[in-house]
Amino acid sequence: MAESEQENLQKQIDEIEALSSIYEDNWSVVDEAARIFCIQIVDQQAKWSISLQVSFPPEYPSAAPPVYQLNAPWLRGDERTRLSNDLEEIYLKNSGDCILFLWAQKIQDFLQVKSQSVGAAQDAGWVAEELEVDHFGCSLSNQSPLQQVALKESSSRNSDDMELPPMAHGEPITDRRSTFQAHLAPVVTVNQVKLHLQKFYENKKIANATHNIYAYRIYCEDKQTFLQDCEDDGETAAGGRLLHLMQILDVCNVMVVVSRWYGGIQLGPDRFKHINNCARNLLVEQGYPGMRREMSKTTSKSKKPKNKKGK
């Protein structure tokens, strides 16, 4: 095997390990010998999904893209063409790099836009009612990030002045002298995220961590959309992976921070596995997975119009 093929193979193995850690049950091995794998990607409301099947040629990632197939009964025509063009553009912009995580993120974004556009059409009958609702948490997807922050802070200043709930801390994971620990806090506004981070960094041990990666998701009930963001803190792509894990687990109204104290030995893709595992363990321990679906069910029940009895 040529040296370049050996390097490609190692990169493929690293990428597979990282992705299988992130997607868990949504990741499957179709044919290990032929290096064919599948990722099931769903939107945040779990209404739309696409199966991304990929195989790795020996030249990937140095000189060729993965061979891929998009499987979804509803994906056809212009939508399929547009998504395929987006994936190919990602490859051209990142030629020579591993791109499956970027592809999965693009498909996730595509599904979210699809879900929102269909949901907007279905919810048209509620427009008059929503216009009368206070703007707390509303219309965030149409605002710039700065406008979102200003809107949230101005709408919830009184609630933010209340005492913040305590942060929960998970069990540390140590591997080759590097230690990872997850922390989480319930949040319903961006200002609460800021206040929690300020309080968080008052802890000198945590403030001195090599990286403090964080992500948050806040569910806006009236629009059924999310306000979410993440921070790598020097650990490239770690924040995006952490946010993606939170999306897969369907958590909401929570901020997760993962601290890493570097021990001097590079861990490769294992670092992403540890970041996700300690975050997942704490979220499960605190009962967050699936919370958004439960909130959505409660909201939909409350919106159902009452049948009026005839006189």
Side-chain angles (χ1 to χ4, degrees):
M1 183 181 295
E3 184 177 350
S4 60
E5 289 188 8
Q6 288 180 335
E7 292 178 357
N8 284 337
L9 180 60
Q10 186 58 53
K11 288 181 179 179
Q12 292 174 18
I13 292 171
D14 291 347
E15 186 174 28
I16 289 167
E17 289 181 358
L19 289 170
S20 63
S21 172
I22 293 171
Y23 288 96
E24 286 200 316
D25 294 340
N26 289 336
W27 170 270
S28 59
V29 179
V30 179
D31 188 332
E32 189 167 6
R35 306 190 68 71
I36 302 174
F37 307 91
C38 184
I39 307 173
Q40 188 71 20
I41 304 168
V42 299
D43 74 301
Q44 294 171 1
Q45 283 73 38
K47 295 178 181 178
W48 301 89
S49 68
I50 292 176
S51 174
L52 172 64
Q53 183 172 303
V54 296
S55 61
F56 296 140
E59 300 81 12
Y60 172 76
S62 65
V67 178
Y68 73 93
Q69 181 177 334
L70 298 170
N71 298 317
W74 55 270
L75 184 64
R76 56 175 64 93
D78 291 341
E79 283 188 319
R80 177 179 286 274
T81 300
R82 186 168 68 253
L83 180 55
S84 296
N85 289 341
D86 287 344
L87 299 185
E88 289 162 16
E89 184 178 354
I90 288 173
Y91 168 70
L92 292 174
K93 288 182 177 179
N94 298 273
S95 181
D97 297 332
C98 294
I99 58 170
L100 281 192
F101 181 70
L102 296 177
W103 276 7
Q105 282 189 313
K106 172 55 70 174
I107 294 172
Q108 180 84 39
D109 293 342
F110 178 88
L111 289 173
Q112 192 59 27
V113 171
K114 173 77 173 177
S115 178
Q116 289 175 351
S117 63
V118 172
Q122 292 175 342
D123 294 341
W126 296 98
V127 169
E129 176 188 338
E130 289 178 351
L131 288 174
E132 297 176 0
V133 178
D134 183 79
H135 67 245
F136 172 73
C138 298
S139 305
L140 291 169
S141 60
N142 297 323
Q143 305 291 333
S144 70
L146 288 177
Q147 290 172 323
Q148 291 173 14
V149 172
L151 180 60
K152 276 290 188 179
E153 291 180 354
S154 64
S155 302
S156 55
R157 190 172 292 109
N158 291 336
S159 63
D160 288 339
D161 289 339
M162 298 171 63
E163 184 177 352
L164 289 172
M167 253 192 168
H169 306 277
E171 289 296 320
I173 294 175
T174 300
D175 180 12
R176 285 162 280 179
R177 299 190 300 191
S178 279
T179 299
F180 302 79
Q181 186 179 22
H183 326 267
L184 69 75
V187 293
V188 293
T189 70
V190 173
N191 200 44
Q192 285 186 347
V193 173
K194 292 180 179 180
L195 293 173
H196 270 299
L197 287 174
Q198 289 173 4
K199 190 171 183 180
F200 180 71
Y201 282 113
E202 290 175 3
N203 184 310
K204 290 184 178 180
K205 180 181 177 182
I206 292 174
N208 289 329
T210 312
H211 308 287
N212 282 306
I213 304 118
Y214 72 83
Y216 65 85
R217 300 187 82 214
I218 297 170
Y219 186 51
C220 310
E221 291 186 27
D222 53 356
K223 286 293 183 180
Q224 297 186 25
T225 57
F226 285 89
L227 177 61
Q228 56 189 18
D229 203 356
C230 59
E231 169 59 46
D232 296 334
D233 194 28
E235 187 70 278
T236 305
R241 293 171 190 239
L242 178 59
L243 179 58
H244 202 65
L245 171 70
M246 295 171 71
Q247 293 169 344
I248 291 172
L249 293 178
D250 195 31
V251 304
C252 66
N253 296 345
V254 64
M255 174 182 68
V256 179
V257 184
V258 177
S259 303
R260 180 193 181 184
W261 292 268
Y262 180 56
I265 301 174
Q266 294 185 359
L267 303 185
D270 283 349
R271 66 192 190 277
F272 298 118
K273 178 177 68 177
H274 296 323
I275 290 168
N276 278 2
N277 282 344
C278 65
R280 182 189 294 108
N281 291 344
L282 186 56
L283 285 165
V284 170
E285 178 186 312
Q286 297 294 318
Y288 277 92
M291 180 180 289
R292 197 276 313 161
R293 277 193 294 270
E294 294 303 316
M295 291 179 63
S296 183
K297 287 178 184 177
T298 303
T299 302
S300 62
K301 285 180 182 179
S302 65
K303 278 191 171 185
K304 285 183 179 179
K306 296 181 180 179
N307 292 326
K308 293 182 179 180
K309 295 182 179 180
K311 293 182 180 180

